[in-house]
Amino acid sequence: MKKHSGFEAPGTLVLSFLLLVWIGFLWFGSWVTLAQAWPMK
Amino acid sequence: MAAIATPGSFSGTRSNFRVCPVTTFKVDLAAERLIIWNAVTAIVALTLGGTYALLIALTRWPDIHLLDPGWFYRLLTGHGMNMLVFWMVFFEAAGLYFGACVLLNARLVGVKLAWVAYLLMLVGAVMVNVIILMGRADVMFSAYPPLEADPLFYLGYILFAVGAILVCCIFLATLVMARVERRYEGSVPLAVFGLLTAAIIALFTLASGAVALIPTLLWRLGIGTIDPGAYRVTFWGFGHSAQQVNLSAMIAIWYSLATLTVGSKPVNEKLSRFAFFLYILFINLGSMHHLLVDPGLGTMAKFFNTSYAMYLAVLGSLIHAFSIPAAVEVALRAKGYNKGLFGWLLNAPWKEPGFSSLMLSLFIFGFLGGPTGVVLGAGQLNLLAHNTWRITGHFHATVVGGTTLAFMGFTYYVIPLIFRRPLFAKPLVRWQPWVYGIGMALVSISMTWAGYLGTPRRHWDVTFADAAKVGIAVQLPSLTNLSLTVTGIGALLAVTGGILYVVICVGSLFMPKREARALDPMEA
């Protein structure tokens, strides 16, 4: 079976990068919220 | 189309096949009947669960607050059971028979046993639903002891699980027999490999369910005692892992839909298989999400499961998240849609219901369901989110906006090819994935936002309006009411999409029977 390179799908590469940025936003955003909430009241 | 008789290798059995004129697959007629019955039963469960969803959503909407507390918790239990277990597992049983028999041109092994499995699942599902509606199991999906349900509730649960275990065993036996009878060369197709992953995860998921539920049944019968801490651990070995079965089945269907709709081939099939393998090893540890604030478990267990193990499972998901849209892009570029970075996406067949279901499901799962799960799976962050609506927002993006939508899209291929009937109300079919997908995305985003603001999950009075009656003033952020209202609107939209799906499926059952004329369900 012919293998394709990921670079044959540049649009998906860009979308994947945006997904990682989005996960990072959620992840670090949640840590910031945690820091603001700490210590728990 | 005339059926053909093919000699079986064992016990002198003979199987009747028909040849699909569109796909040229040889379809075992016994498997076909089981696929139809399991799929129809799945849709009945979806209808029940969806009806309960509407009533629950109208109760959660503060300005409506429809149900009283008793009925709210009753229907919440029924909603969880029908949506998370019965709809999914009946559909997956149909999917396993489809994968093992139709995709491999193989005969189903143990047809009578498969009917026994179906009946066990049916009897179990009916028992659970009846007991819930009688008000004797207001314990919600997790049924944590010391909450008590009628023993028949646990018995129904167990009967259903035994039937599901039989389905998995029949699937595995059929794969082995297909190999022995040389129905395919080399490895099984990627979609079947994904279903095999689902079946393997299902077996230890169901075993964990048995370890949780059998002692609970005995406890309710007055035999022995139950340890709530041990129950929580073993129950989530079932409760969350069952969603990993759904995940694997959904991804198998994503690969199938990508092939059926635009003719794509995996970018790197070995890598995709490796990603499924990572699921088998690591993804069930996602069950730990539910136990991160549980005092019964030690730090090391939480540390291991929420760090190394979880990231290896997420790696599998990230591989699929790239592989499937990349395969779609490569296929569409090969058809000449090469303009710019996203010309392929703009010119994709968005009016084809299988394709729109696939892409909406990918988007909702990929951008909402998966990432929120990653965040919630971190122990420290889980402290903020546990038992809030953020959890509910997460799994409505995974198991509903992701899995259910993918299953719906796949149904539009199953009806012409397996039921051998044209789709009913084709203009509605074009709209259905959009209405359902947008509704569920709204539900998920607004639930997550409400949870972020502190709204509790599994609570009849989410704004704590009744607390004022006993002198406790609870002031929720002003945005809470807005997000709860958006959830209600999203739920109305999603329920409309669900009704469209059921109408299309039931209407199609009454269409005149004929062989499919084309692969595209809108032309079949």
Side-chain angles (χ1 to χ4, degrees):
Chain A
M1 179 171 288
K2 180 179 181 291
K3 282 185 186 173
H4 294 276
S5 159
F7 292 104
E8 291 176 46
T12 307
L13 277 177
V14 171
L15 288 174
S16 302
F17 176 72
L18 291 175
L19 176 62
L20 290 178
V21 171
W22 171 240
I23 293 173
F25 171 75
L26 291 177
W27 176 261
F28 291 110
S30 294
W31 275 104
V32 170
T33 313
L34 178 65
Q36 288 172 340
W38 204 269
M40 294 293 184
K41 291 175 183 172
Chain B
M1 177 65 56
I4 55 174
T6 306
S9 299
F10 294 85
S11 312
T13 56
R14 297 178 71 83
S15 298
N16 288 317
F17 289 86
R18 70 177 176 88
V19 178
C20 174
V22 175
T23 60
T24 69
F25 284 134
K26 284 167 67 183
V27 182
D28 180 354
L29 295 176
E32 186 178 74
R33 280 189 288 278
L34 279 155
I35 293 169
I36 290 171
W37 277 89
N38 277 285
V40 168
T41 313
I43 292 168
V44 172
L46 179 75
T47 308
L48 272 178
T51 308
Y52 301 161
L54 175 65
L55 298 171
I56 292 164
L58 292 178
T59 306
R60 288 285 207 155
W61 193 333
D63 294 326
I64 298 177
H65 212 41
L66 182 69
L67 300 173
D68 64 43
W71 273 102
F72 174 77
Y73 291 112
R74 199 159 299 150
L75 296 189
L76 194 57
T77 309
H79 174 63
M81 293 299 297
N82 280 293
M83 294 307 216
L84 291 173
V85 182
F86 303 143
W87 145 246
M88 291 287 166
V89 178
F90 273 117
F91 199 92
E92 282 155 3
L96 290 179
Y97 295 141
F98 180 85
C101 297
V102 180
L103 295 182
L104 297 182
N105 293 312
R107 70 182 174 89
L108 185 68
V109 173
V111 174
K112 284 182 185 167
L113 197 59
W115 281 108
V116 170
Y118 171 76
L119 287 175
L120 280 172
M121 288 164 64
L122 181 67
V123 169
V126 170
M127 278 173 68
V128 167
N129 269 294
V130 169
I131 294 294
I132 288 171
L133 289 176
M134 288 171 72
R136 285 155 59 186
D138 298 340
V139 292
M140 295 179 283
F141 171 64
S142 50
Y144 282 157
L147 286 177
E148 293 179 350
D150 190 295
L152 290 175
F153 171 80
Y154 304 106
L155 184 62
Y157 222 144
I158 292 166
L159 287 178
F160 184 87
V162 171
I165 289 172
L166 286 178
V167 171
C168 293
C169 294
I170 292 164
F171 169 77
L172 295 174
T174 302
L175 286 192
V176 171
M177 193 60 70
R179 185 80 180 175
V180 169
E181 295 179 353
R182 298 176 182 276
R183 300 290 185 177
Y184 63 94
E185 296 292 327
S187 305
V188 292
L190 184 59
V192 180
F193 193 82
L195 292 171
L196 175 61
T197 304
I200 292 169
I201 297 174
L203 282 173
F204 57 81
T205 295
L206 292 162
S208 191
V211 173
L213 291 166
I214 292 173
T216 314
L217 171 64
L218 294 175
W219 163 65
R220 289 296 293 122
L221 292 171
I223 305 168
T225 57
I226 189 82
D227 178 341
Y231 175 91
R232 287 196 297 272
V233 173
T234 50
F235 174 79
W236 285 117
F238 162 80
H240 197 97
S241 305
Q243 310 322 313
Q244 319 299 5
V245 179
N246 302 336
L247 169 73
S248 301
M250 173 190 72
I251 291 175
I253 283 179
W254 279 353
Y255 280 110
S256 304
L257 283 174
T259 303
L260 289 167
T261 54
V262 295
S264 71
K265 292 188 169 59
V267 176
N268 184 333
E269 192 163 330
K270 279 186 183 167
L271 188 63
S272 297
R273 286 174 194 262
F274 175 68
F276 276 122
F277 187 62
L278 285 175
Y279 280 174
I280 295 175
L281 293 182
F282 298 108
I283 203 155
N284 268 9
L285 303 173
S287 305
M288 191 59 73
H289 289 194
H290 301 268
L291 304 166
L292 288 174
V293 296
D294 196 301
L297 287 171
T299 306
M300 278 310 291
K302 295 174 184 176
F303 176 74
F304 174 76
N305 285 298
T306 59
S307 51
Y308 302 111
M310 195 182 82
Y311 298 125
L312 287 168
V314 170
L315 175 64
S317 288
L318 288 176
I319 291 171
H320 292 306
F322 178 77
S323 296
I324 297 166
V328 170
E329 180 175 352
V330 168
L332 287 170
R333 284 183 183 277
K335 290 181 180 178
Y337 301 118
N338 273 312
K339 193 175 177 186
L341 270 179
F342 298 112
W344 59 279
L345 203 54
L346 295 174
N347 291 291
W350 291 104
K351 289 183 178 176
E352 207 270 72
F355 185 82
S356 55
S357 301
L358 164 67
M359 296 308 276
L360 286 167
S361 166
L362 257 170
F363 180 83
I364 295 170
F365 195 102
F367 279 88
L368 300 176
T372 50
V374 172
V375 173
L376 298 173
Q380 297 88 337
L381 303 179
N382 194 276
L383 288 171
L384 284 176
H386 189 76
N387 269 347
T388 71
W389 243 14
R390 274 177 82 173
I391 310 292
T392 324
H394 155 68
F395 68 73
H396 277 79
T398 54
V399 80
V400 193
T403 309
T404 295
L405 191 49
F407 285 5
M408 286 173 166
F410 194 63
T411 309
Y412 298 136
Y413 279 88
V414 170
I415 288 174
L417 296 175
I418 298 294
F419 285 67
R420 286 182 275 167
R421 293 172 198 277
L423 289 175
F424 171 72
K426 287 180 180 170
L428 291 182
V429 182
R430 287 195 200 286
W431 282 99
Q432 190 275 329
W434 292 97
V435 175
Y436 192 77
I438 292 170
M440 280 321 302
L442 270 180
V443 166
S444 173
I445 292 167
S446 56
M447 276 181 165
T448 303
W449 187 248
Y452 181 81
L453 296 170
T455 306
R457 69 181 291 204
R458 295 177 154 184
H459 204 296
W460 170 71
D461 183 18
V462 285
T463 60
F464 296 109
D466 274 10
K469 294 177 185 169
V470 290
I472 303 170
V474 176
Q475 186 71 39
L476 289 177
S478 54
L479 277 175
T480 304
N481 199 44
L482 174 66
S483 49
L484 292 172
T485 304
V486 174
T487 305
I489 294 167
L492 288 180
L493 204 55
V495 167
T496 306
I499 291 170
L500 288 178
Y501 174 72
V502 173
V503 166
I504 292 162
C505 291
V506 174
S508 300
L509 287 179
F510 293 98
M511 297 291 275
K513 195 166 184 175
R514 67 163 197 231
E515 292 290 347
R517 296 169 181 168
L519 191 57
D520 184 341
M522 303 304 280
E523 295 169 11

